[in-house]
Amino acid sequence: MHEQLARVSHSIEIHLLYASIVWLAAWLLTSMQRGTATAKYWIWVATSLNFILPLSLIPDRFWPSQLSWFTPRSIILAAGNGIPLSAPAIAVLWVVWSLGAVLMLTRLSSRINGARRETRATPEASFFMHGVPVRFAANRKCPAVDGVLRPQIALPDGIDRLLTERELNAVLIHELRHAKRRDNLIRLIHEASLCALWFHPLVWITGSRLALYRELSCDESVSRRARGEDLVSALAKLAEPEDASLLQATASSFISHRLARLAGDQTRRTDVAANTMLAVAFGAVLFAAALGPAAQSAASYACAHTHADHR
């Protein structure tokens, strides 16, 4: 039992090492000025998914031994000779992880149940926008998309009096992008992975980067329809409404980043070359990080068979 736990722990360490390298590449690439927010958003989505796809945990026999060239034997041996942990230490670590995972699952379940209660309290759709129901609800404090598999746009009562028709349309275009792209599902997947990797600070930071570029990329869809100025005006009103009881400042999350990006996107065209460069560079790092644990498993498997043959 101790050997199995130690082996799983070691495989997780290797996987998280490579996943952290992918995270670093995502941070550096998305920090560049060039490239659209949408391209950077998908880079962070891939980074998030990479944390919960531990290729190193796949049994050794499923990896072809030819992959062992990718990781030198010295690295394999060095990685295998990490800090030795006793059986009680490993058991304590698993108990601590389990407690943290349970707390995170409880937190996520509470949020999901709260969102369901808000959705049930929302009245029937007032109208549809490209097949997505749009509802006005007194219990909503800011425009948002509810639902995971069947998204619907929820607007606070009175927003049509606060915003002009063009401003409201710009807000709806933004929220429609969230709904069509199933951003709530992507967010849920990341939060589920956070329940398992709650101890890893980079996974928490990934969530904040996902949230930022999720908003910026939806703002881009508004800019492409020449409604960027209307959205800027709407965000200003939502951040400081005349009726303080109507909306909250949370309606304009990442307000400074969004306003700065919208101001710069008024005349900016999609940079296809920059997006291609970002995709190719990140794809190369992601591919190498996927081969790393696979190569290590293949090398370990080859070493084990060589040792058995010598016997």
Side-chain angles (χ1 to χ4, degrees), residues 17-205:
L17 171 63
Y18 282 99
S20 299
I21 294 173
V22 171
W23 183 95
L24 179 60
W27 180 273
L28 293 175
L29 290 172
T30 57
S31 297
M32 299 173 60
Q33 293 296 322
R34 301 294 297 274
T36 63
T38 300
K40 295 175 180 179
Y41 172 66
W42 288 114
I43 284 177
W44 282 110
V45 170
T47 301
S48 173
L49 293 176
N50 185 60
F51 273 109
I52 57 174
L53 295 176
L55 296 179
S56 59
L57 293 184
I58 297 178
D60 297 340
R61 62 180 179 274
F62 293 138
W63 291 114
S65 59
Q66 291 82 358
L67 278 178
S68 59
W69 65 268
F70 187 83
T71 303
R73 184 183 298 265
S74 60
I75 296 180
I76 299 296
L77 295 176
N81 295 327
I83 300 175
L85 294 176
S86 63
I90 292 178
V92 169
L93 287 177
W94 278 97
V95 169
V96 171
W97 172 83
S98 299
L99 291 175
V102 169
L103 289 175
M104 292 298 296
L105 280 171
T106 302
R107 171 178 172 268
L108 178 59
S109 298
S110 176
R111 188 187 71 78
I112 292 175
N113 291 332
R116 284 178 177 174
R117 285 193 295 270
E118 284 190 353
T119 302
R120 293 194 194 101
T122 304
E124 293 298 320
S126 301
F127 61 94
F128 288 81
M129 186 174 184
H130 296 282
V132 177
V134 180
R135 310 167 189 268
F136 290 93
N139 64 329
R140 298 313 303 240
K141 298 298 184 182
C142 61
V145 174
D146 295 330
V148 175
L149 300 179
R150 297 186 209 177
Q152 52 186 305
I153 299 173
L155 300 175
D157 278 337
I159 192 174
D160 51 340
R161 298 190 301 271
L162 177 68
L163 304 181
T164 66
E165 182 178 350
R166 289 181 61 87
E167 291 168 348
L168 181 59
N169 186 255
V171 170
L172 286 172
I173 292 173
H174 175 100
E175 299 301 335
L176 181 65
R177 181 61 174 158
H178 282 307
K180 289 290 188 179
R181 200 169 55 191
R182 298 296 193 274
D183 281 345
N184 282 356
L185 176 60
I186 296 173
R187 177 187 175 188
L188 180 61
I189 292 173
H190 176 76
E191 291 186 347
S193 70
L194 191 58
C195 293
L197 300 174
W198 56 267
F199 56 88
H200 202 312
L202 297 186
V203 181
W204 288 90
I205 299 175

Side-chain angles (χ1 to χ4, degrees), residues 275-309:
N275 286 346
T276 302
M277 184 276 294
L278 288 175
V280 171
F282 181 75
V285 175
L286 192 61
F287 180 72
L291 275 185
Q296 185 176 26
S297 294
S300 299
Y301 181 60
C303 290
H305 271 261
T306 302
H307 182 68
D309 291 339

